[in-house]
Amino acid sequence: MDDIEQLIAMLARLPGLGPRSARRAALSLLRNPETRMLPLARLMEQAATTVQTCSSCGNLDVVNPCHICTDTHRDRSIICVVETVGDLWALERSSIHQGMYQVLGGTLSALAGLGPEDLNVVPLMHRIEAGEVKEVILALGATVEGATTAHWLQEKLSSTGVIVTRVAHGVPIGGALDVLDDGTLAAALMARKQL
Amino acid sequence: MDDIEQLIAMLARLPGLGPRSARRAALSLLRNPETRMLPLARLMEQAATTVQTCSSCGNLDVVNPCHICTDTHRDRSIICVVETVGDLWALERSSIHQGMYQVLGGTLSALAGLGPEDLNVVPLMHRIEAGEVKEVILALGATVEGATTAHWLQEKLSSTGVIVTRVAHGVPIGGALDVLDDGTLAAALMARKQL
């Protein structure tokens, strides 16, 4: 395999890129080696050293602890538990959550062979033991794995005295009912509120 | 802007990647610095030196002249003219064309400020002057720019004595008629063949 084919193959391995878009991306890079390919290559080499996993919450950042964990304006009494860094970024973009985070790095999954020891919960327990946490919000996916993980975490946290909540399930804002799956409809109906 | 945001911004500039997929790609790279990000970075730095534009046909390859131009099994009497290296690759994947290529590197476009001097046609004229070319196939896009470029090339080649052909326009194989635009339908109808 020559460098071009190898570049396409490596780009195609990125999520969101298929063989077709990987070829287009590779072409765009190869046609602009000085302005696109080399700057990106150098940035990636640099980021491989500068970007680290926050030892407190599990976020990815150029500083450790991350800028969220060291932000004195944030509410340290509320910790939002998410599966991935991508989930954390999504919540940060919405600017709704003003507290802290804990990135689990996955969910309990028998299929993927992930057990409790594979989830990043030790820093969460440490922070709870330190005494400043009042509420833990479980913002996990509405999947079987997410629900299993939420259940397990709820049990694990039950003795600590902190309030454990989970995000609501229901009809997405802007979403039509007729395109939703039965599970979402059932959840939305069961969690109905009096107006 | 820190390294993470910069990485996302640079990835988002690649064709086929939006801000959302760029974030996913960046996360995937950042989570696997040793196995994904650094190998890709090193490959891109390497490819920036190894991959060159073929001085004969304009293809991108790790050798110059490219492996197509040096392939003795190919028919040197037919040259297929394409707009971009991506078009050349698409034709090569189909394995239909057994002749040579000429990559113009674009089309005539008043809007983009591209004139005849911006198109890579000198090597084509040299090859025709050398006397071994019998046919030039214009495989340009069925766009206004593609048609303009085809017309200009046809004029330019008219005095050389080579046969100039262009690819057929019509209904794509596997395509339904009711989703096609009027232009394609008109072209397909006008180019109808007796059975």
Side-chain angles (χ1 to χ4, degrees):
Chain A
M1 225 170 31
D2 71 26
D3 287 352
I4 300 179
E5 289 168 53
Q6 221 176 322
L7 179 62
I8 295 171
M10 285 184 97
L11 288 172
R13 243 176 276 152
L14 293 175
L17 277 170
R20 201 187 181 88
S21 42
R23 267 197 302 270
R24 285 182 62 208
L27 255 179
S28 154
L29 290 169
L30 289 167
R31 271 202 290 236
N32 307 286
E34 295 299 327
T35 55
R36 294 229 173 150
M37 192 152 63
L38 285 179
L40 180 56
R42 283 170 196 144
L43 180 62
M44 290 199 302
E45 286 212 62
Q46 186 180 314
T49 354
T50 57
V51 179
Q52 316 150 58
T53 299
C54 173
S55 50
S56 175
C57 76
N59 187 16
L60 286 169
D61 206 341
V62 289
V63 283
N64 180 12
C66 76
H67 72 280
I68 295 175
C69 285
T70 51
D71 186 342
T72 52
H73 295 96
R74 300 186 75 116
D75 187 350
R76 311 190 82 81
S77 70
I78 307 181
I79 297 184
C80 183
V81 179
V82 291
E83 292 174 16
T84 66
V85 175
D87 297 336
L88 186 160
W89 289 1
L91 282 166
E92 276 304 283
R93 280 198 300 281
S94 77
S95 306
I96 298 292
H97 179 60
Q98 296 298 324
M100 315 305 282
Y101 288 98
Q102 179 66 45
V103 180
L104 294 183
T107 49
L108 295 179
S109 166
L111 217 64
L114 288 174
E117 68 284 359
D118 298 307
L119 301 185
N120 182 30
V121 283
V122 176
L124 175 68
M125 301 316 283
H126 280 320
R127 285 196 275 176
I128 291 172
E129 279 158 26
E132 58 184 357
V133 182
K134 291 199 188 102
E135 181 182 352
V136 171
I137 306 171
L138 304 181
L140 305 174
T143 57
V144 174
E145 288 82 8
T148 311
T149 311
H151 185 78
W152 168 76
L153 258 176
Q154 195 189 339
E155 292 248 303
K156 192 174 174 71
L157 297 173
S158 62
S159 58
T160 61
V162 297
I163 300 165
V164 182
T165 57
R166 73 154 172 76
V167 291
H169 299 154
V171 183
I173 305 302
L177 259 78
D178 60 354
V179 294
L180 288 177
D181 60 296
D182 295 353
T184 305
L185 281 177
L189 216 63
M190 284 197 289
R192 65 189 178 278
K193 287 186 180 173
Q194 191 175 352
L195 302 173
Chain B
M1 225 171 30
D2 71 25
D3 287 351
I4 300 179
E5 288 167 53
Q6 221 175 321
L7 181 61
I8 295 170
M10 287 185 94
L11 288 171
R13 242 176 277 152
L14 292 176
L17 276 168
R20 201 187 180 86
S21 42
R23 269 196 301 270
R24 285 182 63 208
L27 256 179
S28 154
L29 289 170
L30 289 167
R31 270 201 291 236
N32 307 285
E34 296 298 328
T35 55
R36 293 229 175 152
M37 192 150 62
L38 286 179
L40 180 56
R42 282 169 198 145
L43 180 62
M44 289 200 302
E45 288 211 62
Q46 187 180 314
T49 355
T50 58
V51 179
Q52 316 151 59
T53 299
C54 173
S55 49
S56 174
C57 75
N59 187 17
L60 287 168
D61 206 340
V62 289
V63 284
N64 181 13
C66 76
H67 71 280
I68 294 175
C69 285
T70 51
D71 186 342
T72 52
H73 295 96
R74 300 187 74 117
D75 187 350
R76 311 190 83 82
S77 69
I78 307 180
I79 297 184
C80 183
V81 177
V82 292
E83 293 175 15
T84 67
V85 175
D87 297 335
L88 186 160
W89 290 0
L91 282 167
E92 276 304 284
R93 280 197 300 281
S94 76
S95 305
I96 297 293
H97 179 60
Q98 295 298 323
M100 315 305 282
Y101 289 97
Q102 179 66 46
V103 180
L104 294 182
T107 48
L108 294 180
S109 166
L111 218 65
L114 288 173
E117 67 285 358
D118 298 308
L119 301 185
N120 182 30
V121 281
V122 177
L124 175 67
M125 301 315 283
H126 279 321
R127 285 196 274 176
I128 292 172
E129 280 157 26
E132 58 183 356
V133 182
K134 291 198 190 103
E135 180 182 352
V136 171
I137 306 172
L138 303 181
L140 305 173
T143 58
V144 175
E145 288 81 9
T148 311
T149 311
H151 186 76
W152 168 77
L153 257 176
Q154 196 190 338
E155 294 247 303
K156 195 174 172 73
L157 298 173
S158 62
S159 58
T160 61
V162 296
I163 299 164
V164 182
T165 57
R166 73 153 172 77
V167 291
H169 299 153
V171 182
I173 304 304
L177 258 77
D178 60 354
V179 295
L180 288 177
D181 60 295
D182 295 354
T184 304
L185 283 177
L189 216 61
M190 283 197 289
R192 66 189 177 279
K193 288 186 179 172
Q194 191 174 353
L195 301 172

